[in-house]
Amino acid sequence: MTDTPPDRLSGNPNSPFYDEKLLERGVGVRFKGVDKTNVDEYCVSEGWVRLTAGTAKDRAGNLMTIKLKGLVEPYFRDVE
């Protein structure tokens, strides 16, 4: 495995950017220099993250998310 996380990754199994092996390895995300633990999806090249908004759910039962733009720095937790 490489030590560079992918450009885009999602924690939602229905997303085409979901990768179970990478998520099991442990991917952390720094957004604007702050470690975030509620990241649902990120994209480094486009500079955004999707964060879960508490425990609110939509009609389909998925957690509600908000999209924020800024500097995104993913890293593998087991490397540090």
Side-chain angles (χ1 to χ4, degrees):
M1 269 191 192
T2 179
D3 286 336
T4 306
D7 177 62
R8 188 167 179 178
L9 185 65
S10 176
N12 183 350
N14 297 327
S15 172
F17 302 104
Y18 178 77
D19 188 343
E20 188 173 355
K21 290 182 182 179
L22 286 175
L23 294 172
E24 286 177 2
R25 184 174 176 189
V27 177
V29 177
R30 280 187 208 93
F31 180 67
K32 293 184 178 179
V34 178
D35 281 335
K36 296 291 184 180
T37 58
N38 60 341
V39 175
D40 185 54
E41 185 175 2
Y42 72 82
C43 183
V44 177
S45 62
E46 295 177 13
W48 58 263
V49 293
R50 247 184 223 287
L51 305 174
T52 57
T55 58
K57 295 187 178 188
D58 64 6
R59 288 180 241 176
N62 301 318
L63 289 172
M64 298 287 284
T65 60
I66 56 173
K67 185 176 181 179
L68 302 175
K69 292 188 175 207
L71 179 64
V72 180
E73 303 171 71
Y75 61 91
F76 288 114
R77 295 176 196 243
D78 62 355
V79 173
E80 296 184 326

